[in-house]
Every structure is written in structure tokens, then in C-alpha cells.
Amino acid sequence: MDKRIGKRIHYLANQNRAYVNAIFKDEGLTHGECNLLVEIYRNDGISQEELGKKLRIDKSAITRVIKVMIEKGYVKKAINQQDRRYHCLYLTDKANNKLDYIFDVFHKSSDWLLDGLSEEDVIVVMRILDEMCENVRKKVEEIE
């Protein structure tokens, strides 16, 4: 048996991303951009630097994607009043109006990934994936 679990996880993530990208194509959004919107929604006023850390995106890439999201009218920046060197990020009304749809698509993509599995299997899969995520988190912390 091929034990390259990373290969399988990578495949699942790529296929899920492709599915979500196809659904959001008409909206002019990508899976990554929707993840960014959800993270800003969950952390209203988050700094660009902190958002990049949470999403594990380097500084230049997060700068580019935020610029695009501002141009598309989904994100706005405001100077942080406590530390004027930083900008706070907020969703626009346009983004807030899309959130229910984004969450719905994300839930449906989770549902189709788990299609055909019993409730017990889903619990086991989630527990194992959580343990694997924790293993990876620890390894990343060791090298950072």
C-alpha cells in the first residue's frame, strides 16, 4: 500500500479548490480570495501582516491579493489608530452580501468530500485529520 498520505491530501485539496473555483468563476472570485474574505469576517479589523500569518501567505503575496480584493470592491483598509504603521482590513458591503453564499459553497464542498461515508467514518476521519494537522503544526513550529 502506498503510504504517501501527503499526496492524497494534496490531491483532495486541489480537487476541492478546483470545484470551488468553478462555482465562484461567475462571481469573479477564487477559493483563496473567499478564504481571505472569511478570515477578515472572523477577525474584523485584522492587520495585513496578521492575516498573512493566519493564512500562511508571505508578505508580498498577501499585499498583492489584498490589492486585488480592494480593486474588486470586497475589502477596505483603514489606518490603525493605535499604531499608524499598520492598516486594518474590513469587508465592504459587497463582500458581506456574498458571505452567506460563500459559506454555503464551502459547506457543500465539505459535504461532497464526505459523501458516502457513515457518520462514524466521518468522526474518525475528522479526528485523524485533526491529529495530523497538530503533528504538522508542531513540526512547523520546530523550524520557525
Short mmCIF file of all heavy atoms in Angstrom, two decimals, residues 50-81:
data_model
loop_
_atom_site.label_atom_id
_atom_site.label_comp_id
_atom_site.label_asym_id
_atom_site.label_seq_id
_atom_site.Cartn_x
_atom_site.Cartn_y
_atom_site.Cartn_z
N GLU A 50 -1.01 40.21 10.12
CA GLU A 50 -1.63 39.12 10.88
C GLU A 50 -2.44 38.21 9.97
O GLU A 50 -2.44 37.00 10.12
CB GLU A 50 -2.50 39.69 12.00
CG GLU A 50 -2.86 38.71 13.08
CD GLU A 50 -1.67 38.07 13.77
OE1 GLU A 50 -0.64 38.75 13.96
OE2 GLU A 50 -1.76 36.88 14.11
N LEU A 51 -3.12 38.79 8.99
CA LEU A 51 -3.88 38.00 8.03
C LEU A 51 -2.95 37.07 7.24
O LEU A 51 -3.25 35.89 7.05
CB LEU A 51 -4.66 38.91 7.08
CG LEU A 51 -5.52 38.22 6.04
CD1 LEU A 51 -6.61 37.39 6.70
CD2 LEU A 51 -6.13 39.25 5.10
N GLY A 52 -1.82 37.61 6.81
CA GLY A 52 -0.85 36.80 6.09
C GLY A 52 -0.35 35.64 6.94
O GLY A 52 -0.21 34.51 6.45
N LYS A 53 -0.10 35.89 8.22
CA LYS A 53 0.34 34.82 9.12
C LYS A 53 -0.74 33.76 9.29
O LYS A 53 -0.46 32.56 9.23
CB LYS A 53 0.70 35.39 10.49
CG LYS A 53 2.01 36.13 10.52
CD LYS A 53 2.29 36.68 11.91
CE LYS A 53 3.53 37.54 11.92
NZ LYS A 53 3.76 38.16 13.24
N LYS A 54 -1.99 34.19 9.49
CA LYS A 54 -3.08 33.24 9.69
C LYS A 54 -3.28 32.36 8.46
O LYS A 54 -3.55 31.17 8.57
CB LYS A 54 -4.38 33.97 10.02
CG LYS A 54 -4.50 34.40 11.45
CD LYS A 54 -5.90 34.94 11.71
CE LYS A 54 -6.12 35.20 13.16
NZ LYS A 54 -6.31 33.99 13.94
N LEU A 55 -3.17 32.96 7.28
CA LEU A 55 -3.38 32.22 6.04
C LEU A 55 -2.10 31.59 5.50
O LEU A 55 -2.12 30.92 4.48
CB LEU A 55 -4.01 33.14 4.98
CG LEU A 55 -5.41 33.65 5.31
CD1 LEU A 55 -5.87 34.65 4.25
CD2 LEU A 55 -6.40 32.50 5.43
N ARG A 56 -0.98 31.85 6.20
CA ARG A 56 0.34 31.34 5.81
C ARG A 56 0.69 31.79 4.38
O ARG A 56 1.08 31.00 3.53
CB ARG A 56 0.42 29.84 5.98
CG ARG A 56 0.09 29.42 7.42
CD ARG A 56 0.60 28.11 7.85
NE ARG A 56 2.01 27.93 7.94
CZ ARG A 56 2.82 28.40 8.90
NH1 ARG A 56 2.33 29.13 9.86
NH2 ARG A 56 4.10 28.14 8.90
N ILE A 57 0.53 33.10 4.17
CA ILE A 57 0.85 33.72 2.88
C ILE A 57 1.95 34.74 3.14
O ILE A 57 1.84 35.55 4.06
CB ILE A 57 -0.40 34.43 2.29
CG1 ILE A 57 -1.53 33.43 2.07
CG2 ILE A 57 -0.04 35.13 0.99
CD1 ILE A 57 -2.84 34.07 1.65
N ASP A 58 3.00 34.73 2.31
CA ASP A 58 4.10 35.67 2.54
C ASP A 58 3.66 37.11 2.28
O ASP A 58 2.62 37.37 1.69
CB ASP A 58 5.33 35.30 1.71
CG ASP A 58 5.13 35.45 0.22
OD1 ASP A 58 4.77 36.56 -0.22
OD2 ASP A 58 5.37 34.48 -0.51
N LYS A 59 4.49 38.04 2.75
CA LYS A 59 4.13 39.47 2.74
C LYS A 59 3.81 40.00 1.35
O LYS A 59 2.84 40.73 1.17
CB LYS A 59 5.24 40.31 3.38
CG LYS A 59 5.31 40.16 4.87
CD LYS A 59 6.40 41.04 5.46
CE LYS A 59 6.46 40.86 6.96
NZ LYS A 59 7.41 41.74 7.60
N SER A 60 4.62 39.65 0.37
CA SER A 60 4.39 40.19 -0.97
C SER A 60 3.10 39.60 -1.57
O SER A 60 2.34 40.33 -2.23
CB SER A 60 5.58 39.92 -1.89
OG SER A 60 5.82 38.54 -2.02
N ALA A 61 2.84 38.33 -1.33
CA ALA A 61 1.63 37.71 -1.88
C ALA A 61 0.37 38.26 -1.21
O ALA A 61 -0.63 38.53 -1.89
CB ALA A 61 1.69 36.19 -1.72
N ILE A 62 0.41 38.46 0.10
CA ILE A 62 -0.77 38.99 0.79
C ILE A 62 -1.03 40.43 0.36
O ILE A 62 -2.17 40.84 0.19
CB ILE A 62 -0.69 38.84 2.34
CG1 ILE A 62 -2.07 39.04 2.98
CG2 ILE A 62 0.29 39.80 2.96
CD1 ILE A 62 -3.03 37.94 2.78
N THR A 63 0.04 41.17 0.11
CA THR A 63 -0.10 42.54 -0.38
C THR A 63 -0.80 42.55 -1.74
O THR A 63 -1.71 43.34 -1.97
CB THR A 63 1.28 43.23 -0.49
OG1 THR A 63 1.85 43.27 0.82
CG2 THR A 63 1.17 44.63 -1.05
N ARG A 64 -0.39 41.65 -2.62
CA ARG A 64 -0.99 41.57 -3.95
C ARG A 64 -2.47 41.17 -3.89
O ARG A 64 -3.31 41.78 -4.54
CB ARG A 64 -0.24 40.56 -4.83
CG ARG A 64 1.08 41.08 -5.38
CD ARG A 64 1.65 40.17 -6.45
NE ARG A 64 1.80 38.78 -6.03
CZ ARG A 64 2.86 38.29 -5.40
NH1 ARG A 64 3.89 39.08 -5.12
NH2 ARG A 64 2.92 37.01 -5.07
N VAL A 65 -2.77 40.14 -3.11
CA VAL A 65 -4.16 39.67 -3.07
C VAL A 65 -5.06 40.70 -2.40
O VAL A 65 -6.20 40.89 -2.84
CB VAL A 65 -4.28 38.27 -2.41
CG1 VAL A 65 -4.09 38.31 -0.92
CG2 VAL A 65 -5.61 37.64 -2.76
N ILE A 66 -4.58 41.39 -1.40
CA ILE A 66 -5.41 42.44 -0.77
C ILE A 66 -5.64 43.57 -1.76
O ILE A 66 -6.75 44.09 -1.86
CB ILE A 66 -4.77 42.93 0.54
CG1 ILE A 66 -4.92 41.83 1.60
CG2 ILE A 66 -5.41 44.23 1.01
CD1 ILE A 66 -4.16 42.08 2.87
N LYS A 67 -4.61 43.93 -2.53
CA LYS A 67 -4.77 44.98 -3.54
C LYS A 67 -5.86 44.59 -4.54
O LYS A 67 -6.73 45.39 -4.88
CB LYS A 67 -3.44 45.22 -4.25
CG LYS A 67 -3.51 46.30 -5.30
CD LYS A 67 -2.15 46.53 -5.96
CE LYS A 67 -2.27 47.67 -6.94
NZ LYS A 67 -1.76 47.37 -8.24
N VAL A 68 -5.84 43.34 -4.97
CA VAL A 68 -6.85 42.84 -5.91
C VAL A 68 -8.23 42.89 -5.27
O VAL A 68 -9.21 43.31 -5.91
CB VAL A 68 -6.50 41.41 -6.38
CG1 VAL A 68 -7.67 40.75 -7.09
CG2 VAL A 68 -5.26 41.42 -7.27
N MET A 69 -8.32 42.48 -4.01
CA MET A 69 -9.63 42.45 -3.34
C MET A 69 -10.17 43.86 -3.10
O MET A 69 -11.39 44.07 -3.14
CB MET A 69 -9.54 41.67 -2.03
CG MET A 69 -9.19 40.20 -2.22
SD MET A 69 -10.27 39.34 -3.39
CE MET A 69 -11.74 39.20 -2.42
N ILE A 70 -9.28 44.82 -2.90
CA ILE A 70 -9.70 46.22 -2.79
C ILE A 70 -10.21 46.70 -4.15
O ILE A 70 -11.27 47.33 -4.24
CB ILE A 70 -8.56 47.10 -2.26
CG1 ILE A 70 -8.29 46.79 -0.78
CG2 ILE A 70 -8.87 48.58 -2.45
CD1 ILE A 70 -7.03 47.42 -0.21
N GLU A 71 -9.46 46.37 -5.21
CA GLU A 71 -9.88 46.77 -6.57
C GLU A 71 -11.22 46.15 -6.96
O GLU A 71 -12.01 46.78 -7.66
CB GLU A 71 -8.80 46.38 -7.58
CG GLU A 71 -7.54 47.22 -7.47
CD GLU A 71 -6.37 46.68 -8.29
OE1 GLU A 71 -6.50 45.60 -8.92
OE2 GLU A 71 -5.31 47.33 -8.27
N LYS A 72 -11.47 44.92 -6.51
CA LYS A 72 -12.74 44.26 -6.81
C LYS A 72 -13.87 44.78 -5.93
O LYS A 72 -15.03 44.45 -6.16
CB LYS A 72 -12.61 42.74 -6.60
CG LYS A 72 -11.78 42.05 -7.65
CD LYS A 72 -11.75 40.55 -7.39
CE LYS A 72 -10.98 39.80 -8.46
NZ LYS A 72 -11.02 38.33 -8.26
N GLY A 73 -13.52 45.57 -4.91
CA GLY A 73 -14.54 46.16 -4.06
C GLY A 73 -15.00 45.31 -2.89
O GLY A 73 -16.05 45.56 -2.31
N TYR A 74 -14.18 44.31 -2.50
CA TYR A 74 -14.56 43.42 -1.41
C TYR A 74 -13.92 43.77 -0.07
O TYR A 74 -14.42 43.37 0.98
CB TYR A 74 -14.19 41.98 -1.75
CG TYR A 74 -15.04 41.38 -2.83
CD1 TYR A 74 -14.55 41.19 -4.12
CD2 TYR A 74 -16.36 41.01 -2.57
CE1 TYR A 74 -15.34 40.65 -5.12
CE2 TYR A 74 -17.16 40.46 -3.56
CZ TYR A 74 -16.64 40.28 -4.83
OH TYR A 74 -17.43 39.76 -5.81
N VAL A 75 -12.81 44.49 -0.11
CA VAL A 75 -12.05 44.79 1.12
C VAL A 75 -11.72 46.27 1.13
O VAL A 75 -11.49 46.88 0.09
CB VAL A 75 -10.75 43.94 1.18
CG1 VAL A 75 -9.87 44.34 2.35
CG2 VAL A 75 -11.07 42.46 1.24
N LYS A 76 -11.69 46.82 2.34
CA LYS A 76 -11.23 48.20 2.50
C LYS A 76 -10.20 48.23 3.62
O LYS A 76 -10.21 47.39 4.52
CB LYS A 76 -12.40 49.15 2.79
CG LYS A 76 -13.21 48.78 4.00
CD LYS A 76 -14.44 49.66 4.11
CE LYS A 76 -15.33 49.13 5.24
NZ LYS A 76 -16.60 49.80 5.32
N LYS A 77 -9.29 49.20 3.52
CA LYS A 77 -8.22 49.39 4.50
C LYS A 77 -8.49 50.66 5.29
O LYS A 77 -9.01 51.63 4.74
CB LYS A 77 -6.87 49.58 3.81
CG LYS A 77 -6.14 48.37 3.41
CD LYS A 77 -4.77 48.80 2.89
CE LYS A 77 -3.97 47.65 2.37
NZ LYS A 77 -2.64 48.07 1.94
N ALA A 78 -8.08 50.63 6.55
CA ALA A 78 -8.12 51.83 7.38
C ALA A 78 -6.87 51.83 8.23
O ALA A 78 -6.39 50.77 8.66
CB ALA A 78 -9.36 51.83 8.25
N ILE A 79 -6.33 53.00 8.49
CA ILE A 79 -5.13 53.11 9.33
C ILE A 79 -5.50 52.73 10.76
O ILE A 79 -6.50 53.19 11.29
CB ILE A 79 -4.53 54.52 9.25
CG1 ILE A 79 -3.99 54.77 7.84
CG2 ILE A 79 -3.43 54.71 10.28
CD1 ILE A 79 -3.47 56.16 7.61
N ASN A 80 -4.66 51.91 11.36
CA ASN A 80 -4.85 51.50 12.76
C ASN A 80 -4.60 52.72 13.65
O ASN A 80 -3.52 53.31 13.60
CB ASN A 80 -3.87 50.37 13.10
CG ASN A 80 -4.04 49.83 14.49
OD1 ASN A 80 -4.26 50.57 15.44
ND2 ASN A 80 -3.91 48.52 14.61
N GLN A 81 -5.58 53.08 14.44
CA GLN A 81 -5.47 54.28 15.27
C GLN A 81 -4.47 54.12 16.42
O GLN A 81 -3.90 55.10 16.89
CB GLN A 81 -6.85 54.67 15.82
CG GLN A 81 -7.83 55.07 14.73
CD GLN A 81 -7.31 56.21 13.86
OE1 GLN A 81 -6.80 57.21 14.34
NE2 GLN A 81 -7.44 56.05 12.55
#
